[in-house]
Amino acid sequence: MSDEAKQMAARAAVELVQEGMRLGIGTGSTAAHFIRLLAQRVNAGLSVTGVATSEQSAELCTRLGIPLTNLDETPTLDLAVDGADEFDGALNLIKGGGGALLREKIVAGAAKRFVVIADASKQVAVLGAFPLPVEIIPMARQPLSLRLAELGAVATLRQTADGEPFRSDENHWILDCAFGPTITDPPGLARTLSTLPGVVEHGLFCGMTERVLLGSDDQAIVITV
Ligand code: 5RP
């Protein structure tokens, strides 16, 4: 999928930003397009503040001149914009491919409007071809892997290039859970995962997304439920 499509989606999201807005700012390559385009408007005089969903996005915002705040100072956001790894027809999402799902969900939850930017490779009929990231406390790895197997997933500990466990910005581990495209009841699975001891957060975002801005090479279309 072309980078232009991601950029087109990001451009449509930047058009939603208005003077004085408090923004949630996502993570990943599509969100990075949003940050770069937002920075152009900020450098042209637009006044906004942002809460970043990862150290990576915070670093990019700071480098490009987008003022950042945090949820202590700014607990309610007007608009959050983020990418996704998959979305279905009900706008349920899988997120966390970049390992930022916990902060992403907190920020999306603090926002009055949560808008997803994506290209067509992220649109699916049934979620689950993309392994579902589940953020965990390290000591729970083995019991959770067994429980996730009972739920139909093969859980693999995410690792860095050096073979060390990947650490999220909050210093947790991530299990990438291969369900296959079988998640027919995302809210039900989300509820089940949230009850498992040792699960900090999971990458199913259900009932949170106001719209998806779906980019192609020459336009972005709006998808709502
Ligand atoms: C990071 C995420 C990203 O939004 C998701 O992985 C999409 O990334 P990209 O825009 O690079 O395809 O959830 O945790």
Short mmCIF file of all heavy atoms in Angstrom, two decimals, residues 6 26-33 53-54 56 81-86 94-102 104 116-119 121-122 130 133 158 174 203 205, ligand 1:
data_model
loop_
_atom_site.label_atom_id
_atom_site.label_comp_id
_atom_site.label_asym_id
_atom_site.label_seq_id
_atom_site.Cartn_x
_atom_site.Cartn_y
_atom_site.Cartn_z
N LYS A 6 -1.61 6.81 2.95
CA LYS A 6 -1.53 7.18 4.37
C LYS A 6 -1.51 8.69 4.52
O LYS A 6 -2.15 9.26 5.41
CB LYS A 6 -0.27 6.57 4.99
CG LYS A 6 -0.30 5.06 5.08
CD LYS A 6 0.96 4.53 5.75
CE LYS A 6 0.88 3.01 5.90
NZ LYS A 6 2.02 2.46 6.63
N GLY A 26 -1.39 10.28 17.70
CA GLY A 26 -1.13 8.85 17.64
C GLY A 26 0.30 8.46 17.32
O GLY A 26 1.22 9.30 17.28
N THR A 27 0.46 7.17 17.07
CA THR A 27 1.79 6.57 16.86
C THR A 27 1.75 5.70 15.61
O THR A 27 0.74 5.07 15.31
CB THR A 27 2.16 5.72 18.10
OG1 THR A 27 2.29 6.59 19.22
CG2 THR A 27 3.47 4.97 17.90
N GLY A 28 2.89 5.64 14.91
CA GLY A 28 2.99 4.81 13.72
C GLY A 28 3.28 5.66 12.49
O GLY A 28 3.36 6.89 12.57
N SER A 29 3.40 5.00 11.35
CA SER A 29 3.80 5.72 10.13
C SER A 29 2.68 6.64 9.62
O SER A 29 2.96 7.74 9.10
CB SER A 29 4.21 4.73 9.05
OG SER A 29 3.16 3.82 8.78
N THR A 30 1.42 6.25 9.77
CA THR A 30 0.32 7.10 9.32
C THR A 30 0.19 8.30 10.25
O THR A 30 0.02 9.45 9.79
CB THR A 30 -1.01 6.31 9.26
OG1 THR A 30 -0.76 5.01 8.73
CG2 THR A 30 -2.03 7.01 8.39
N ALA A 31 0.30 8.04 11.54
CA ALA A 31 0.25 9.14 12.52
C ALA A 31 1.43 10.10 12.32
O ALA A 31 1.29 11.31 12.53
CB ALA A 31 0.24 8.59 13.94
N ALA A 32 2.56 9.57 11.89
CA ALA A 32 3.72 10.45 11.65
C ALA A 32 3.43 11.42 10.51
O ALA A 32 3.85 12.58 10.54
CB ALA A 32 4.97 9.62 11.36
N HIS A 33 2.68 10.96 9.50
CA HIS A 33 2.25 11.90 8.45
C HIS A 33 1.38 13.00 9.04
O HIS A 33 1.51 14.18 8.70
CB HIS A 33 1.46 11.16 7.36
CG HIS A 33 2.32 10.41 6.40
ND1 HIS A 33 3.29 11.00 5.63
CD2 HIS A 33 2.34 9.09 6.08
CE1 HIS A 33 3.87 10.09 4.88
NE2 HIS A 33 3.32 8.93 5.13
N THR A 53 1.00 9.79 22.17
CA THR A 53 0.71 8.43 22.63
C THR A 53 1.96 7.58 22.76
O THR A 53 1.86 6.39 23.06
CB THR A 53 -0.27 7.75 21.67
OG1 THR A 53 0.27 7.84 20.34
CG2 THR A 53 -1.65 8.38 21.70
N SER A 54 3.13 8.15 22.49
CA SER A 54 4.38 7.39 22.63
C SER A 54 5.53 8.36 22.74
O SER A 54 5.43 9.53 22.35
CB SER A 54 4.61 6.48 21.42
OG SER A 54 4.76 7.26 20.25
N GLN A 56 8.11 8.08 20.98
CA GLN A 56 8.49 8.31 19.57
C GLN A 56 7.72 9.48 18.97
O GLN A 56 8.31 10.38 18.36
CB GLN A 56 8.17 7.02 18.81
CG GLN A 56 8.75 6.90 17.45
CD GLN A 56 8.25 5.61 16.77
OE1 GLN A 56 7.25 5.02 17.18
NE2 GLN A 56 8.95 5.18 15.75
N VAL A 81 -6.29 11.58 17.03
CA VAL A 81 -6.10 11.03 15.69
C VAL A 81 -5.01 9.97 15.78
O VAL A 81 -3.92 10.22 16.29
CB VAL A 81 -5.68 12.13 14.69
CG1 VAL A 81 -5.39 11.52 13.31
CG2 VAL A 81 -6.77 13.20 14.59
N ASP A 82 -5.31 8.78 15.26
CA ASP A 82 -4.33 7.69 15.35
C ASP A 82 -4.53 6.72 14.19
O ASP A 82 -5.60 6.70 13.56
CB ASP A 82 -4.52 6.95 16.69
CG ASP A 82 -3.24 6.26 17.16
OD1 ASP A 82 -2.31 6.07 16.35
OD2 ASP A 82 -3.19 5.93 18.36
N GLY A 83 -3.52 5.92 13.94
CA GLY A 83 -3.62 4.86 12.94
C GLY A 83 -4.25 3.61 13.54
O GLY A 83 -4.68 3.59 14.69
N ALA A 84 -4.28 2.55 12.73
CA ALA A 84 -4.79 1.26 13.20
C ALA A 84 -4.12 0.16 12.40
O ALA A 84 -3.64 0.39 11.29
CB ALA A 84 -6.30 1.19 13.04
N ASP A 85 -4.10 -1.03 12.98
CA ASP A 85 -3.57 -2.18 12.25
C ASP A 85 -4.67 -2.89 11.47
O ASP A 85 -4.41 -3.45 10.41
CB ASP A 85 -2.89 -3.14 13.25
CG ASP A 85 -1.73 -2.45 13.93
OD1 ASP A 85 -0.79 -2.05 13.22
OD2 ASP A 85 -1.77 -2.28 15.16
N GLU A 86 -5.88 -2.87 11.99
CA GLU A 86 -7.06 -3.39 11.27
C GLU A 86 -8.28 -2.63 11.76
O GLU A 86 -8.33 -2.22 12.93
CB GLU A 86 -7.29 -4.88 11.56
CG GLU A 86 -6.34 -5.82 10.88
CD GLU A 86 -6.72 -7.30 11.07
OE1 GLU A 86 -7.57 -7.63 11.94
OE2 GLU A 86 -6.16 -8.13 10.35
N ILE A 94 -8.03 -3.28 15.68
CA ILE A 94 -6.84 -3.84 16.33
C ILE A 94 -5.77 -2.76 16.24
O ILE A 94 -5.52 -2.22 15.16
CB ILE A 94 -6.35 -5.14 15.66
CG1 ILE A 94 -7.30 -6.29 16.00
CG2 ILE A 94 -4.92 -5.47 16.10
CD1 ILE A 94 -6.90 -7.63 15.41
N LYS A 95 -5.18 -2.45 17.38
CA LYS A 95 -4.09 -1.49 17.45
C LYS A 95 -2.95 -2.07 18.28
O LYS A 95 -3.12 -3.04 18.99
CB LYS A 95 -4.56 -0.16 18.06
CG LYS A 95 -5.37 0.67 17.07
CD LYS A 95 -5.70 2.06 17.61
CE LYS A 95 -4.54 2.86 18.10
NZ LYS A 95 -3.44 3.03 17.12
N GLY A 96 -1.80 -1.43 18.17
CA GLY A 96 -0.66 -1.83 19.00
C GLY A 96 0.49 -2.44 18.24
O GLY A 96 1.45 -2.90 18.85
N GLY A 97 0.39 -2.40 16.90
CA GLY A 97 1.50 -2.91 16.11
C GLY A 97 2.80 -2.19 16.44
O GLY A 97 3.89 -2.77 16.37
N GLY A 98 2.68 -0.93 16.82
CA GLY A 98 3.87 -0.15 17.20
C GLY A 98 4.16 -0.22 18.69
O GLY A 98 5.09 0.42 19.18
N GLY A 99 3.36 -0.99 19.42
CA GLY A 99 3.62 -1.20 20.84
C GLY A 99 3.10 -0.11 21.75
O GLY A 99 3.43 -0.08 22.93
N ALA A 100 2.26 0.77 21.21
CA ALA A 100 1.82 1.93 22.01
C ALA A 100 0.37 1.82 22.45
O ALA A 100 -0.25 2.80 22.83
CB ALA A 100 2.03 3.22 21.20
N LEU A 101 -0.19 0.60 22.43
CA LEU A 101 -1.64 0.46 22.60
C LEU A 101 -2.16 1.01 23.91
O LEU A 101 -3.26 1.57 23.95
CB LEU A 101 -2.04 -1.02 22.47
CG LEU A 101 -1.43 -1.99 23.47
CD1 LEU A 101 -2.45 -3.02 23.90
CD2 LEU A 101 -0.27 -2.71 22.82
N LEU A 102 -1.38 0.88 25.00
CA LEU A 102 -1.88 1.33 26.30
C LEU A 102 -2.08 2.84 26.30
O LEU A 102 -3.17 3.34 26.62
CB LEU A 102 -0.90 0.90 27.40
CG LEU A 102 -1.20 1.39 28.81
CD1 LEU A 102 -2.59 0.97 29.28
CD2 LEU A 102 -0.14 0.85 29.78
N GLU A 104 -2.20 4.71 23.73
CA GLU A 104 -3.16 5.05 22.67
C GLU A 104 -4.59 4.93 23.16
O GLU A 104 -5.44 5.77 22.85
CB GLU A 104 -2.93 4.14 21.46
CG GLU A 104 -1.64 4.45 20.72
CD GLU A 104 -1.31 3.48 19.61
OE1 GLU A 104 -1.77 2.33 19.65
OE2 GLU A 104 -0.56 3.86 18.70
N VAL A 116 -9.70 7.70 13.20
CA VAL A 116 -8.65 6.78 12.75
C VAL A 116 -8.27 7.10 11.31
O VAL A 116 -9.14 7.37 10.46
CB VAL A 116 -9.14 5.32 12.88
CG1 VAL A 116 -8.22 4.36 12.13
CG2 VAL A 116 -9.22 4.94 14.35
N ILE A 117 -6.98 7.10 11.05
CA ILE A 117 -6.47 7.33 9.70
C ILE A 117 -5.80 6.05 9.22
O ILE A 117 -5.00 5.45 9.94
CB ILE A 117 -5.50 8.55 9.65
CG1 ILE A 117 -4.46 8.50 10.77
CG2 ILE A 117 -6.30 9.85 9.74
CD1 ILE A 117 -3.46 9.67 10.74
N ALA A 118 -6.16 5.64 8.00
CA ALA A 118 -5.70 4.32 7.53
C ALA A 118 -5.71 4.27 6.01
O ALA A 118 -6.37 5.08 5.35
CB ALA A 118 -6.61 3.24 8.09
N ASP A 119 -4.99 3.30 5.48
CA ASP A 119 -5.12 2.98 4.05
C ASP A 119 -5.91 1.68 3.93
O ASP A 119 -6.23 1.03 4.94
CB ASP A 119 -3.74 2.87 3.39
CG ASP A 119 -2.90 1.77 4.01
OD1 ASP A 119 -3.33 0.61 3.99
OD2 ASP A 119 -1.83 2.07 4.54
N SER A 121 -5.32 -1.28 3.20
CA SER A 121 -4.77 -2.56 3.69
C SER A 121 -5.26 -2.87 5.10
O SER A 121 -5.15 -4.01 5.57
CB SER A 121 -3.24 -2.55 3.66
OG SER A 121 -2.73 -1.64 4.62
N LYS A 122 -5.80 -1.86 5.79
CA LYS A 122 -6.23 -2.05 7.18
C LYS A 122 -7.71 -2.46 7.30
O LYS A 122 -8.18 -2.78 8.38
CB LYS A 122 -6.01 -0.75 7.97
CG LYS A 122 -4.63 -0.13 7.83
CD LYS A 122 -3.56 -1.03 8.39
CE LYS A 122 -2.16 -0.48 8.29
NZ LYS A 122 -1.92 0.76 8.97
N PHE A 130 -4.26 -9.81 11.63
CA PHE A 130 -3.13 -9.14 12.31
C PHE A 130 -3.10 -9.64 13.75
O PHE A 130 -4.12 -9.55 14.46
CB PHE A 130 -3.32 -7.62 12.27
CG PHE A 130 -2.10 -6.87 12.74
CD1 PHE A 130 -1.15 -6.42 11.84
CD2 PHE A 130 -1.90 -6.64 14.10
CE1 PHE A 130 -0.01 -5.75 12.28
CE2 PHE A 130 -0.77 -5.97 14.54
CZ PHE A 130 0.18 -5.52 13.63
N PRO A 133 -2.13 -7.46 19.71
CA PRO A 133 -1.18 -7.18 20.78
C PRO A 133 -1.89 -7.13 22.15
O PRO A 133 -2.92 -6.49 22.29
CB PRO A 133 -0.62 -5.80 20.41
CG PRO A 133 -0.96 -5.61 18.96
CD PRO A 133 -2.27 -6.32 18.79
N ARG A 158 6.65 -10.51 22.04
CA ARG A 158 7.32 -9.59 21.10
C ARG A 158 8.76 -9.36 21.57
O ARG A 158 9.00 -9.16 22.76
CB ARG A 158 6.57 -8.27 21.02
CG ARG A 158 7.09 -7.41 19.87
CD ARG A 158 6.31 -6.13 19.73
NE ARG A 158 4.90 -6.34 19.42
CZ ARG A 158 4.07 -5.35 19.12
NH1 ARG A 158 4.50 -4.10 19.10
NH2 ARG A 158 2.79 -5.59 18.86
N ILE A 174 4.75 -7.41 25.63
CA ILE A 174 3.61 -7.56 24.72
C ILE A 174 3.57 -8.98 24.16
O ILE A 174 4.59 -9.50 23.67
CB ILE A 174 3.67 -6.53 23.58
CG1 ILE A 174 3.39 -5.13 24.14
CG2 ILE A 174 2.65 -6.86 22.48
CD1 ILE A 174 3.41 -4.01 23.13
N GLY A 203 -5.19 -4.72 22.52
CA GLY A 203 -5.28 -3.83 21.37
C GLY A 203 -6.62 -3.80 20.66
O GLY A 203 -6.70 -3.27 19.55
N PHE A 205 -9.95 -2.06 20.22
CA PHE A 205 -10.61 -0.78 20.50
C PHE A 205 -12.03 -0.91 19.96
O PHE A 205 -12.23 -0.91 18.74
CB PHE A 205 -9.90 0.38 19.79
CG PHE A 205 -8.56 0.78 20.39
CD1 PHE A 205 -7.60 -0.14 20.71
CD2 PHE A 205 -8.28 2.13 20.57
CE1 PHE A 205 -6.37 0.26 21.24
CE2 PHE A 205 -7.06 2.55 21.10
CZ PHE A 205 -6.11 1.60 21.44
C1 5RP B 1 0.86 1.71 17.16
C2 5RP B 1 -0.38 1.54 16.40
C3 5RP B 1 -0.41 2.09 15.02
O1 5RP B 1 -1.42 3.02 14.94
C4 5RP B 1 -0.64 0.97 14.06
O2 5RP B 1 0.37 0.01 14.25
C5 5RP B 1 -0.64 1.46 12.61
O3 5RP B 1 0.65 1.82 12.24
P1 5RP B 1 0.98 2.33 10.78
O4 5RP B 1 0.27 3.62 10.59
O5 5RP B 1 2.50 2.48 10.77
O6 5RP B 1 0.53 1.26 9.81
O7 5RP B 1 -1.36 1.00 16.84
O8 5RP B 1 0.80 1.07 18.41
#
